[in-house]
Amino acid sequence: MFGPSKEEIWRQLCAETGADYVQGGFWKGDKVQATHDEWTITLDSYAVSTGKTTMVFTRLRAPYINPDHFRFTIYRRGFFSDIAKGLGMQDIEVGHKDLDRDFIIKGTEESRLRALFDNPRLRELIAAQPQIHLTVKDNEGWVAFPADTDELCFHVQGIIKDVKRLKLLFELFTETLDQLCRIGSAYEEAPKVKL
């Protein structure tokens, strides 16, 4: 409520990183877009109404071509995730003690998960986030993606107004996309999707 607005912080992020601030219109909110190689990473916010309250989320998204349809989700371990794990929820160990201890990791192929998280910088960037929900989704929901295109997506409740954290999130996306290419689960090619 106090301090700089989301717009001020996000414009500062653009000034420091060379990203573009895209003014929203009547139906769309403002967003920040940055490119890395052939990909466009989009930062925006959205709201979800639960009837009595409205929750606001910050999200980053990047569509990319996913040749093998490898998908994963990673988020911080908590009380409810430990209960769910006890009831049989998937939690794959990837062979890195801190990551296995602090995060729930799900995915479609265990060997690819191990290869993805074998990147030390990627593990550092994940650990640097106090809250994280990073996943690969097969589409935007209301926007149909081509069959070979998926979306790397991060979301967290609240509006992130910390430039340093936002820079680390953009780096997390670039490192993840690069690592997905290294393991053969992404092509360094522009997807035919605009957000």
Side-chain angles (χ1 to χ4, degrees), residues 105-165:
I105 302 171
K106 302 176 184 184
T108 55
E109 191 179 327
E110 190 170 332
S111 63
R112 288 208 187 259
L113 281 170
R114 289 178 177 276
L116 176 67
F117 294 116
D118 204 33
N119 179 320
R121 182 62 183 150
L122 182 56
R123 294 193 309 273
E124 287 173 23
L125 290 164
I126 289 168
Q129 292 300 318
Q131 298 170 301
I132 187 169
H133 189 276
L134 183 67
T135 191
V136 172
K137 301 181 344 182
D138 64 350
N139 66 43
E140 170 79 1
W142 56 273
V143 174
F145 282 8
D148 65 350
T149 303
D150 283 342
E151 177 182 68
L152 181 62
C153 184
F154 164 91
H155 73 269
V156 65
Q157 189 173 351
I159 298 294
I160 299 175
K161 295 195 292 182
D162 176 342
V163 173
K164 181 180 177 187
R165 183 175 179 200

Side-chain angles (χ1 to χ4, degrees), residues 60-108:
L60 277 87
R61 300 171 292 158
Y64 69 97
I65 295 175
N66 185 349
D68 60 7
H69 305 290
F70 168 66
R71 296 201 175 90
F72 72 91
T73 299
I74 183 168
Y75 54 91
R76 284 203 175 273
R77 184 177 302 278
F79 175 75
F80 292 109
S81 59
D82 286 340
I83 291 173
K85 185 178 175 184
L87 296 172
M89 178 189 73
Q90 183 186 42
D91 180 22
I92 297 172
E93 292 192 0
V94 294
H96 296 280
K97 185 177 148 187
D98 293 347
L99 208 63
D100 291 333
R101 180 191 64 224
D102 297 337
F103 295 91
I104 298 291
I105 302 171
K106 302 176 184 184
T108 55

Side-chain angles (χ1 to χ4, degrees), residues 13 16-17 162-172:
L13 172 70
E16 293 182 17
T17 62
D162 176 342
V163 173
K164 181 180 177 187
R165 183 175 179 200
L166 290 168
K167 285 180 180 178
L168 288 173
L169 281 168
F170 275 97
E171 187 181 348
L172 172 62

Side-chain angles (χ1 to χ4, degrees), residues 44-64:
D44 65 1
S45 61
Y46 68 98
V48 175
S49 176
T50 61
K52 295 182 180 183
T53 62
T54 299
M55 296 185 297
V56 179
F57 293 84
T58 298
R59 72 178 165 188
L60 277 87
R61 300 171 292 158
Y64 69 97

